[in-house]
Amino acid sequence: MLRNYLKIAWRNLVRHKGYTFINVFGLAIGLACCLVIFLYVQDELRFDRFHARASQIYRIINHRSSEGVQMVMARTPPAYGPTLTTSFPEVQQSVRLFEFGSNELVAYRDRKFFESNILLADSTFFALFSFPLTRGDAAQVLRSPDAIVLSETMARKYFGSQDPLGKSLTIDGTYKFRVTGVMKDVPVSSHLKASFVGSFSALRDIVGLERLKSWGWQQFYTYITLAEGSDPAQVNAKLPAFLAQHAPGEVAQRNARDNYQLQALTDVHLRSSDVEYDIAQKGDIQYIYAFSLVAVFTLLIACFNFMNLSTARSARRAKEVGMRKAVGAQRAQLIGQFLGESLLQTSMALGLALLLTGLVLPTLNDWTGKSLSFTAMLTIPFGLSLLAAVALVGLLAGSYPAFFLSGFKPLNVLKGAVKGVASGALLRRNLVVVQFAVSIMLIIGAGIVFHQIRYIQTKNLGFSKEQLVLLPIRTKAMRQTIETIKAELSQNPSIVGATACYGVPGGRFAGDGINVPGRTEPFSTNMFLVDEDYIPTMGMTMVAGRNFSKGYGTDAGEGFVLNETAVRELGWGTPVKAIGRSINWRQWEPPTPADSIKRGKVIGVVKDFNYKTIHQKIEPMVLQIVPAEYSHLVVRIRPGATTTALGVLGEKWRDVASEWPFEYTFLDEQFADQYRSEQIFGKVFGLFTFLSLFITCLGLFGLAAFTAEQRTKEIGVRKVLGASVTSIVALLANDFLQLVLIALLIASPIAWYAMSHWLAGFAYRVAIHWWMFAGAGLLALGIAFLTVFFQSVKAALTNPVNSLRSD
């Protein structure tokens, strides 16, 4: 019996190849989309869950409020972690991390490479985190001040097959470390990326012990482990009083605006998009929600297609049901046959979906930088869930013919007196509306996403980021002769100008407070430490006063340039009124001697420029000359002369830093990296919007063909009575276009709400205009019309003699 059911099912599928293709291929695309997004979402959600005590580990973050500006920082002072551990019985362990370098030269004999992900950590690092060691004792490897642990990859890179233990590495040409351990490579699902972990005690020799007792030097990342059963909310509630008790004197007053809180380790990757000064590899939980919804919507569209066409075609088999029942077929047998045919198609779709997923994964990995594979799906729970979902779709799609048609009385069916067709048509119309509503929502969303990304790429940032090359200042000789280097480079026709600085838009910059007469507390601001050529080289604009100049001997010791936002938040009115205002600045904590305080005045105001991402509003910025802090040489090269200019820079580098490999970066590429997640989101969202629309059109094409077939005799009669081809096409297309208009009305407010919420994450964003919805509606109408046009014209051109012959 089963064999007979399968044979009949296969014959029906082969007989109607077009409908079979639309059904199977459409459902396969929906399933493949769902599988691909599942792999991506699962990869994002598993970040940091490999740690043995992941549920007990928390990071300390700082919710800072200053001058009405709210920000969240990942950095804490060095005294915070150890003091918290001794003060709170709930805190079992703490570890401090210090980012020692992001692009430092690491050397072992003649092997020299620039490396990132170099951390200094307390000796508890390997006890708190589950980064297994292959060599060395976890409790001892970081106790010595010169100790350092390498990843397996780094150990092979520098030492080959040699035993690395006991060998010395030099970092930045100055700091020597002894290898005390080797750890397995940090998993890709870790928000912390560490290729080298050195002893935190090394900082004592670099900055001094007193500096590590500071409550004001916020350059550290602090992690703690809570005892089992401890309530993090209760710990959070006690942290303000803890800070007030332990932060000494003047710094306690300054830190009154700081509110330290716990952040669960498993939340760091996906829930830190607003956290600044962070070393975490970040994702965004909002994009996870968005991708998940897109996956569900795409699968629903595919399922609705499958159900629509299955129910439509099944109505054509009413006489087959009547004949089978007349010759003795039982209702249970008919139910089994229809459900079996539906499950056979869904099984075929599943197989094709797995194939499509394998083909798409390399492209998705290329876009996202991930290494997604089928491995994540090779689990019993996932396999059972997938089979259950596919079976559910098959059963739902086959339920109409199985339970509705099988209940017909043979006599009524053979007479043609079949009731219930109207209700089936109403169901199909409703499903088409839902399909197009979802597709239109995705079209509107994709349009706004691409519009915002385009805005990011073309927005006037207040400076010119193109043609700027950044070179790190690596040697003492380079620092001492920086003015000579700049002058020589500027004489080359391929180079427009050069400047030395600490701080570039899209990169690192300083943060501190300035004292302004009349204010009781320091004014919190960001700082760029620059020279006289910075503003013209960067393409910035002065709006009041003047730029720094060597013609004024006091600029280096007394001059400050503010941005417009700083002037506004200081309450000084217009930029012109800010000129000549007094400012005092002390760079470091703990307090430096009074005679080292820089007392100066505002000499100019620069037009606001976006030095952070456009997710954030422009904040107060102060520019001043501090040559001892310069970290980069920034060179503007002439358009079209990139190759020549890089050759000139390479020659000059060999003159002043021959022991260092030549390195450079382009500022526009560094700036673009900040929007990588938006670029990925735009690509993936656009792809799945296209696929959902394609699936919808597949289904519409099939329904149009079915409708034209069902109304063959009606069309024949109309043509005999004189109806034109145009009127018949309009008749057939009109029904579907009405459904698209209804879908547009449903989709528009939902899309507006969803995209308004997404755009709220950008301080600078595009407006949502009415034409975006009108454009999406016209696109959907156009695609729907073209989809049904072919079938409508084909039906209209059919010879009425052929369609009416049977009657």
Side-chain angles (χ1 to χ4, degrees), residues 295-551:
V296 171
F297 286 158
T298 306
L299 184 59
L300 281 178
I301 289 173
C303 292
F304 288 169
N305 259 4
F306 189 84
M307 295 169 67
N308 251 346
L309 291 178
S310 295
T311 55
R313 291 301 304 170
S314 63
R316 307 288 297 176
R317 300 177 64 182
K319 290 185 178 180
E320 175 192 341
V321 171
M323 288 295 295
R324 288 182 177 275
K325 296 190 78 172
V327 296
Q330 300 298 313
R331 186 179 185 188
Q333 293 174 322
L334 294 172
I335 290 174
Q337 179 186 332
F338 282 117
L339 291 181
E341 290 180 12
S342 183
L343 289 172
L344 177 60
Q345 291 185 72
T346 55
S347 299
M348 293 167 60
L350 175 59
L352 183 56
L354 292 173
L355 177 62
L356 292 174
T357 301
L359 295 175
V360 168
L361 279 182
T363 300
L364 186 66
N365 287 334
D366 183 55
W367 286 357
T368 63
K370 291 183 176 293
S371 300
L372 304 178
S373 67
F374 277 110
T375 306
M377 295 192 293
L378 300 179
T379 62
I380 294 177
F382 177 80
L384 293 176
S385 300
L386 182 61
L387 291 175
V390 171
L392 179 63
V393 173
L395 292 175
L396 288 175
S399 60
Y400 174 82
F403 296 100
F404 182 69
L405 294 183
S406 65
F408 288 161
K409 293 182 178 180
L411 184 60
N412 293 335
V413 172
L414 296 176
K415 284 182 177 180
V418 179
K419 298 180 180 180
V421 175
S423 61
L426 179 62
L427 173 63
R428 289 191 289 276
R429 291 168 65 88
N430 289 338
L431 291 180
V432 169
V433 169
V434 173
Q435 283 180 298
F436 267 99
V438 172
S439 295
I440 292 171
M441 280 191 289
L442 293 177
I443 293 171
I444 295 170
I448 293 174
V449 168
F450 288 126
H451 198 37
Q452 177 66 15
I453 291 174
R454 179 63 179 165
Y455 175 76
I456 291 171
Q457 294 170 338
T458 60
K459 181 183 184 296
N460 183 354
L461 301 174
F463 69 98
S464 178
K465 65 180 184 296
E466 289 77 22
Q467 306 300 130
L468 287 175
V469 181
L470 279 62
L471 297 91
I473 298 175
R474 289 294 189 185
T475 66
K476 185 178 181 180
M478 193 174 178
R479 188 181 303 280
Q480 291 174 341
T481 59
I482 197 68
E483 291 300 321
T484 303
I485 295 171
K486 286 167 49 184
E488 292 176 357
L489 291 174
S490 298
Q491 292 174 3
N492 190 283
S494 64
I495 293 175
V496 178
T499 180
C501 64
Y502 177 86
V504 292
R508 295 190 176 193
F509 45 84
D512 213 334
I514 56 174
N515 294 301
V516 179
R519 300 179 67 92
T520 58
E521 291 187 4
F523 177 76
S524 182
T525 181
N526 295 308
M527 287 192 177
F528 280 16
L529 311 178
V530 304
D531 64 11
E532 296 84 357
D533 300 308
Y534 186 84
I535 289 175
T537 301
M538 299 298 294
M540 297 173 181
T541 305
M542 298 297 297
V543 295
R546 61 176 178 83
N547 183 25
F548 300 110
S549 172
K550 290 185 174 67

Side-chain angles (χ1 to χ4, degrees), residues 155 197 353 387 738 785:
V197 181
L387 291 175
Q738 287 179 2
F785 178 76

Side-chain angles (χ1 to χ4, degrees), residues 475-659:
T475 66
K476 185 178 181 180
M478 193 174 178
R479 188 181 303 280
Q480 291 174 341
T481 59
I482 197 68
E483 291 300 321
T484 303
I485 295 171
K486 286 167 49 184
E488 292 176 357
L489 291 174
S490 298
Q491 292 174 3
N492 190 283
S494 64
I495 293 175
V496 178
T499 180
C501 64
Y502 177 86
V504 292
R508 295 190 176 193
F509 45 84
D512 213 334
I514 56 174
N515 294 301
V516 179
R519 300 179 67 92
T520 58
E521 291 187 4
F523 177 76
S524 182
T525 181
N526 295 308
M527 287 192 177
F528 280 16
L529 311 178
V530 304
D531 64 11
E532 296 84 357
D533 300 308
Y534 186 84
I535 289 175
T537 301
M538 299 298 294
M540 297 173 181
T541 305
M542 298 297 297
V543 295
R546 61 176 178 83
N547 183 25
F548 300 110
S549 172
K550 290 185 174 67
Y552 293 84
T554 58
D555 279 4
E558 300 178 5
F560 293 93
V561 172
L562 277 61
N563 68 352
E564 294 173 295
T565 299
V567 172
R568 188 165 51 250
E569 294 193 8
L570 282 166
W572 288 347
T574 64
V576 174
K577 292 180 180 179
I579 306 303
R581 293 272 192 166
S582 296
I583 289 178
N584 299 328
W585 174 68
R586 181 172 55 213
Q587 182 178 6
W588 300 111
E589 295 285 355
T592 53
D595 60 3
S596 68
I597 295 176
K598 182 175 181 177
R599 293 179 171 84
K601 60 182 180 181
V602 178
I603 65 170
V605 178
V606 68
K607 184 178 179 62
D608 276 345
F609 58 95
N610 290 90
Y611 56 90
K612 295 184 178 180
T613 73
I614 66 172
H615 287 279
Q616 301 159 293
K617 290 184 177 179
I618 296 174
E619 297 175 355
M621 170 60 70
V622 173
L623 292 83
Q624 59 172 314
I625 298 176
V626 187
E629 299 297 328
Y630 295 159
S631 62
H632 283 83
L633 176 67
V634 183
V635 179
R636 180 171 292 281
I637 61 180
R638 200 171 300 282
T642 302
T643 303
T644 303
L646 290 178
V648 171
L649 293 175
E651 290 179 10
K652 179 54 65 177
W653 182 276
R654 285 186 286 274
D655 290 341
V656 297
S658 58
E659 67 274 28

Side-chain angles (χ1 to χ4, degrees), residues 24-34 298 302 349 353 356 691 694-695 698:
V24 174
F25 190 61
L27 183 57
I29 292 177
L31 286 171
C33 291
C34 211
T298 306
L356 292 174
L691 290 176
F694 176 73
I695 296 170
L698 271 181

